Amino acid sequence: MSGINPFLDPLRQAELYGDDSRLASRSSALMRAKTSGHPVPDTIVGLVRHHHERPDRLGLVLDLGCGRGTSSLTLAEDLRPRHVVGLDAAPALLEQARQRARRLPDLPVTFHQGDFHHLPVSAGSCDVVVAAFCLYHSPRPRSVVAEIGRALVPGGLAVFVTKSLDSYREMDQLVAAAGLDPAAEQHESLYVSAHSGNLADLVAVSLDVLAVEHEEHTFTFDGHDHVAEYLATNPKYDLAPGVYSDAAALATTLHELLPDRPLTTKSLVTFVLAQSRGGRQ
């Protein structure tokens, strides 16, 4: 594996997101383990409703790094804007989002491939822009925030969501203790580019920060089999080729190396709400 942070390595993107089943499997394992913390799309909707001057009359809503479309569909269903556009760089994830949207034909949502450093929208066209769990994929996150500021109408809202640098550290400890990756606890955080500690400052360069909220999310995995579903495609660790991407092989290895028991891990999720400069509409 490359020594470059995989979230910032362009050579790793096809591996990480070229097959939607990889992200779906990892996300499913994480969500089944969740024991505390509100659904992030619901929190985003609540922030928009609370802070936008006219949340019941929204025009264009842009969802950056939309992935498989979960947030985009929630925004469309709960806020009922004129239109939601989900943007992502990964064709495989976008195809899954489109398939999900086809089952909800009445929702005003479409999905497009694009680069969030160069948004395919005109200046001052968006009432709301959401960037959830995606800004840390950019080596230049301030340029993404500046693009969001360009896209927003005067007084428009942006909602940013990220994780803390030490998210899932108990998972790091398990991987190191099992000898699967002895350096697991020393690897750079996947979220180093935009994390709970620096997100508000990144945003404040181009936008007016209105609110910063933190919520601890807790996850309890049932045991090695459940953990292996999450770890198998986690790009943070230098796993042996025989177990990387193979949850069954990874589970077998864990059973051989460590007593099987539940694993509880945590992540601080941070929401930054900001407004385009120019004040309320």
Side-chain angles (χ1 to χ4, degrees):
M1 290 187 182
S2 167
I4 302 173
N5 187 315
F7 277 5
L8 303 177
D9 185 354
L11 298 179
R12 298 286 300 276
Q13 299 314 297
E15 169 208 328
L16 300 183
Y17 303 111
D19 179 353
D20 70 278
S21 66
R22 292 172 57 87
L23 181 61
S25 177
R26 190 162 72 247
S27 297
S28 173
L30 190 64
M31 288 305 100
R32 294 202 321 275
K34 191 169 184 178
T35 56
S36 74
H38 295 96
V40 168
D42 294 350
T43 300
I44 294 170
V45 167
L47 288 169
V48 173
R49 283 177 172 159
H50 182 71
H51 289 277
H52 202 283
E53 189 175 60
R54 46 180 184 81
D56 56 338
R57 292 185 291 116
L58 296 174
L60 178 60
V61 173
L62 184 59
D63 184 22
L64 305 183
C66 66
R68 299 171 61 247
T70 301
S71 291
S72 302
L73 295 172
T74 299
L75 291 165
E77 187 166 21
D78 291 358
L79 293 174
R80 292 288 170 172
R82 177 175 52 81
H83 194 67
V84 174
V85 172
L87 186 77
D88 203 282
L93 301 185
L94 290 169
E95 179 54 34
Q96 179 66 20
R98 292 182 182 116
Q99 290 178 15
R100 297 172 74 188
R102 282 195 281 271
R103 297 194 288 268
L104 300 165
D106 294 334
L107 290 185
V109 58
T110 55
F111 295 96
H112 301 278
Q113 186 176 3
D115 179 355
F116 60 6
H117 297 92
H118 306 285
L119 298 179
V121 295
S122 57
S125 61
C126 300
D127 281 327
V128 175
V129 178
V130 173
F133 304 127
C134 65
L135 205 59
Y136 43 66
H137 285 277
S138 172
R140 298 177 287 109
R142 283 188 176 88
S143 69
V144 181
V145 177
E147 264 292 90
I148 291 171
R150 180 191 68 81
L152 286 170
V153 301
L157 295 182
V159 183
F160 300 87
V161 190
T162 193
K163 303 179 185 182
S164 58
L165 285 172
D166 63 351
S167 292
Y168 317 121
R169 63 185 174 185
E170 296 84 1
M171 193 74 73
D172 298 344
Q173 294 165 357
L174 174 73
V175 172
L180 292 167
D181 179 358
E185 296 181 81
Q186 282 72 57
H187 291 316
E188 182 177 74
S189 171
L190 295 174
Y191 316 114
V192 67
S193 184
H195 53 83
S196 295
N198 73 350
L199 182 61
D201 290 338
L202 291 174
V203 171
V205 172
S206 299
L207 302 170
D208 293 329
V209 174
L210 301 179
V212 179
E213 297 185 8
H214 305 283
E215 183 180 43
E216 187 173 80
H217 289 212
T218 304
F219 307 86
T220 297
F221 293 80
D222 297 336
H224 290 340
D225 292 346
H226 191 179
V227 166
E229 291 180 52
Y230 177 74
L231 285 180
T233 60
N234 189 315
K236 182 176 184 178
Y237 306 113
D238 291 328
L239 302 177
V243 296
Y244 185 63
S245 297
D246 188 337
L250 182 53
T252 297
T253 303
L254 284 170
H255 281 290
E256 292 172 350
L257 296 170
L258 291 175
D260 193 7
R261 57 173 63 98
L263 173 72
T264 296
T265 189
K266 298 178 181 180
S267 175
L268 184 71
V269 177
T270 296
F271 301 83
V272 173
L273 185 79
Q275 185 179 55
S276 63
R277 291 183 173 147
R280 292 285 185 184
Q281 302 173 65

